[in-house]
Amino acid sequence: MMVAGRFGGWSQRLLPWLGVALVIVTADQFTKIVVEHAFRLGDVRPVTGYFSLVLAHNRGAAFSMFDSGAGWQGRVLTGVGIAACIFILYLLARHGSQRLFSVALAMILGGALGNVADRLLYGHVVDFLLFHYRQWEFPAFNVADSSITFGAALLILDELRRVRRAG
């Protein structure tokens, strides 16, 4: 009975955050499927003078780091992504009542799962959002990357608020 009660509390703390992560994974995968069907690899469609849609395949990490590696990076990054997801689930189970912290982790979890799914299904991550100015281009990214970035920013905000309360 003690074990069932302990796991029941975990599931109640995890459920809303898994819902957030699921929404992010769904939005990420849906947008990638739409772009894959509407574009050919390398196609660029300007939306504004500073923003374009593009179809790019990234075998590397964030911002195309390690994209030109010999193939090892996909397996390593998939493993790191899966390990990060497991660690985030552990943190959510323990701290699911802390709203800002948990929303941040759920956003990171959803983004990580979206990119891990790409790596497992296709061997690369599908990127399609491209910001640019004159000759400068920010590396293409996707909904999952955006979610990870916003989640990381919320983690920083949460920690700054925690330090301020403690001080």
Side-chain angles (χ1 to χ4, degrees):
M1 187 65 108
M2 179 76 148
V3 171
R6 186 177 306 167
F7 286 115
W10 280 27
S11 64
Q12 284 182 322
R13 285 189 300 269
L14 270 174
L15 197 57
W17 311 121
L18 292 177
V20 170
L22 179 62
V23 166
I24 291 165
V25 171
T26 302
D28 176 65
Q29 292 300 301
F30 175 75
T31 55
K32 290 172 179 175
I33 289 168
V34 168
V35 170
E36 283 275 4
H37 283 89
F39 289 72
R40 286 182 304 177
L41 188 61
D43 280 354
V44 178
R45 294 193 190 151
V47 177
T48 70
Y50 306 101
F51 174 68
S52 298
L53 294 174
V54 62
L55 176 56
H57 292 167
N58 178 4
R59 296 187 193 301
F63 311 122
S64 298
M65 289 186 299
F66 314 123
D67 190 36
S68 61
W72 59 268
Q73 70 276 27
R75 291 183 298 279
V76 170
L77 293 169
T78 300
V80 168
I82 291 169
C85 290
I86 291 167
F87 182 62
I88 289 170
L89 287 171
Y90 166 77
L91 290 174
L92 285 170
R94 290 192 43 109
H95 305 285
S97 60
Q98 298 174 21
R99 292 173 80 75
L100 184 57
F101 181 70
S102 295
V103 128
L105 289 177
M107 291 180 76
I108 295 168
L109 177 64
L113 288 171
N115 283 340
V116 164
D118 278 11
R119 290 185 193 288
L120 292 173
L121 293 170
Y122 313 118
H124 59 263
V125 173
V126 176
D127 289 328
F128 59 91
L129 302 169
L130 180 65
F131 286 89
H132 48 84
Y133 180 72
R134 295 186 181 163
Q135 302 304 313
W136 174 85
E137 286 185 355
F138 192 79
F141 59 98
N142 57 46
V143 172
D145 298 333
S146 300
S147 182
I148 292 167
T149 301
F150 284 120
L154 288 177
L155 277 180
I156 292 168
L157 176 63
D158 181 62
E159 186 58 25
L160 290 173
R161 290 176 64 194
R162 190 181 339 274
V163 167
R164 185 173 180 191
R165 280 193 304 264

